[in-house]
Amino acid sequence: MIDLRSDTVTTPGDDMRRAMAQAAVGDDVYGEDPTVQHLERKIADLAGQEAALFFPSGTQSNLAALLSHCQRGDEYIVAQNAHTYRYEAGGAAVLGGIQPQPLECEHDGTLDLDKVADAVKVDDFHFARSRLLALENTIGGKALPLDYLARAEAVARRHNLGLHLDGARIFNAAVALGVEVSQLTRRFDSVSICLSKGLGAPIGSLLCARHDLIDRARRWRKMLGGGMRQVGILAAAGIYALEHNRDRLQQDHLHAQQLAAACAAIEQFKVVDGKAHTNMVFVATTLSENEFAALQAHAKANGLLLGGRLGGNILRLVTHKQISAQDITKAAQICAEFFAQ
Ligand SMILES: *Cc1c(COP(=O)(O)O)cnc(C)c1O
C-alpha cells in the first residue's frame, strides 16, 4: 500500500527494532531507565533546553505542558487550527479548566502578533487570566519564519505570557529552513517534539523545558497515566530515529515537491499555494462527498491510501520514509485514472 494519509503510519525497520531489542532498561517511574535518560538528555541538548521528559504521545506532552503553565481560570492564546486547540479533544479545558483563546492563523501559519497582543486580557475579575502563547511549527506543513520567532518571544515577554511550542514536526522545519533545531526551540519555555511522525519511531514524544517546568510536568504525567516502566525499549527507537532519520527528512520534502508537481498535472486537482510545504501537499478538489468517497475507494482498490476530506474540500497528502519516488508517480497515476473513468 502507498499510504499518503500521514507520516504517523511509518513503521520501525529492522535496525530500529534491533536497537529496541538491545536497549538497557529499568523502571523509569523510579528514574532508573538509562535509555530513557539518554534520550531525554539528547533531545534536551538538541532543543537547547535544560531538561526533557518522555511521553507516550504528543497529545499528552502538550497537555502536561499546558497544565504546567496554566492554572484553572487561566487562558492560552492559540491558532484556530492548532493541534492543541482543535485535535486534542479539548483536554486543557476538560482536565485543566484552562480556557483557549483561539485566533485565526495568517496564511503563512503565523499568528498576527498585534492580534495576539489585543487578545491579552487586562487584569480584571471579569476575565480569564491570559497566561500563555502556544505556537505550532510546522503548522499545516509550513515552517514558521525564523525572524517571527524572535518577534513572538518579544510580544510574549512584554505581556508576561509563557511561550509553548507544539513542535511535533520541528525537525521538518529545521531541515526546511536549513538551521539547527535549537534555533527554532531555544526561545520557548517549553517545546513538545514527536518521534512518531516523520522520524519513524513507533511511539513517543518529548517535552523539553526548564527543570522547574519539567518537575511540574512529571507530576501531571503521573496523574494523566503516562508514567511508564521499562520504557527504554521505546526510547531506544527514539534515539535511533534521532541519529538516523533526521537528515533524510529532506528526501520527504523533495518527494512532496514531486507529488505537488504530479498533482498539478491533474486537471481536477488544484494544489493549494501551488506547492508543497515540507512533507505535505494540500489539494483542493471540487468533488462532492460521494465523489470523494469514490476516489478514496478507487485509490484503495489500486493500492493507494488517501486521507479524509478536510474542510474546504481539501485533501492532505503526506510523504514519509516509506514513500519512494516511484510511489509518487504511481499515486498520481491512480488518481488520474479515477478522473479518466
Ligand atoms: C501528531 C501531532 C501531535 C501529537 O499527536 P499524538 O498522536 O498524540 O502523538 C501534536 N501536534 C501536532 C501538530 C501533531 O501533528
Side-chain angles (χ1 to χ4, degrees):
M1 276 288 178
I2 302 169
D3 195 341
L4 295 176
R5 291 173 301 167
S6 178
D7 46 10
T8 57
V9 302
T10 46
T11 55
D14 290 343
D15 290 345
M16 184 182 279
R17 285 169 189 263
R18 247 189 305 279
M20 295 170 75
Q22 290 165 2
V25 297
D27 190 329
D28 185 53
V29 176
Y30 283 106
E32 291 174 1
D33 190 301
T35 310
V36 170
Q37 285 169 4
H38 178 179
L39 172 64
E40 289 174 345
R41 188 66 262 145
K42 189 176 178 71
I43 201 142
D45 289 344
L46 282 171
Q49 295 280 343
E50 282 179 13
L53 190 64
F54 191 40
F55 283 84
S57 71
T59 298
Q60 195 178 82
S61 168
N62 277 324
L63 177 57
L66 293 173
L67 291 165
S68 300
H69 280 283
C70 301
Q71 308 274 325
R72 188 160 173 256
D74 288 351
E75 73 170 9
Y76 69 110
I77 299 169
V78 63
Q80 192 73 248
N81 55 326
H83 204 277
T84 54
Y85 172 60
R86 194 168 186 138
Y87 298 103
E88 297 182 5
V94 175
L95 300 173
I98 304 164
Q99 164 171 289
Q101 168 59 72
L103 297 177
E104 210 60 57
C105 198
E106 302 303 304
H107 190 76
D108 63 358
T110 62
L111 288 175
D112 180 323
L113 294 171
D114 291 332
K115 291 183 190 158
V116 169
D118 283 347
V120 174
K121 295 169 180 57
V122 298
D123 185 4
D124 176 310
F125 67 85
H126 291 87
F127 302 139
R129 291 173 301 253
S130 305
R131 187 69 75 200
L132 180 72
L133 173 60
L135 301 180
E136 182 174 315
N137 196 9
T138 61
I139 182 161
K142 293 173 186 168
L144 299 179
L146 202 51
D147 67 312
Y148 172 76
L149 302 179
R151 287 185 286 119
E153 183 191 20
V155 168
R157 301 298 170 227
R158 192 174 320 131
H159 294 278
N160 249 330
L161 302 175
L163 195 57
H164 173 69
L165 178 66
D166 178 354
R169 296 188 179 83
I170 197 67
F171 288 104
N172 293 87
V175 164
L177 297 171
V179 299
E180 294 294 327
V181 79
S182 62
Q183 284 182 263
L184 307 180
T185 53
R186 63 187 161 81
R187 299 173 185 283
F188 289 83
D189 297 307
S190 56
V191 182
S192 174
I193 298 176
C194 283
L195 302 170
S196 56
K197 303 281 165 80
L199 289 177
I203 177 173
S205 286
L206 288 114
L207 183 65
C208 308
R210 288 188 314 274
H211 287 297
D212 64 312
L213 203 132
I214 290 294
D215 289 344
R216 290 205 292 280
R218 192 185 303 280
R219 182 183 295 266
W220 284 117
R221 184 183 71 171
K222 185 69 199 162
M223 207 183 295
L224 297 171
M228 301 181 286
R229 303 294 176 176
Q230 285 74 22
V231 77
I233 229 161
L234 301 179
I239 294 168
Y240 183 93
L242 289 175
E243 287 176 354
H244 296 92
N245 293 347
R246 267 159 59 200
D247 293 341
R248 62 152 310 288
L249 292 173
Q250 186 60 46
Q251 194 64 48
D252 297 342
H253 299 178
L254 290 172
H255 285 158
Q257 289 167 22
Q258 187 197 340
L259 182 59
C263 288
I266 297 172
E267 202 188 312
Q268 293 83 351
F269 278 169
K270 187 173 177 312
V271 177
V272 176
D273 298 331
K275 63 175 185 184
H277 297 287
T278 60
N279 67 331
M280 295 186 190
V281 180
F282 293 85
V283 172
T285 73
T286 52
L287 299 174
S288 69
E289 208 169 327
N290 285 342
E291 289 165 340
F292 192 92
L295 168 63
Q296 278 182 318
H298 166 86
K300 193 167 180 185
N302 287 279
L304 171 64
L305 291 177
L306 298 175
R309 180 167 173 256
L310 303 179
N313 216 346
I314 302 259
L315 173 65
R316 185 186 78 160
L317 304 168
V318 186
T319 59
H320 50 78
K321 75 181 176 70
Q322 276 141 241
I323 298 297
S324 67
Q326 294 93 293
D327 289 338
I328 286 163
T329 310
K330 177 127 186 275
Q333 254 166 22
I334 291 168
C335 293
E337 271 163 27
F338 171 79
F339 292 115
Q341 284 172 10

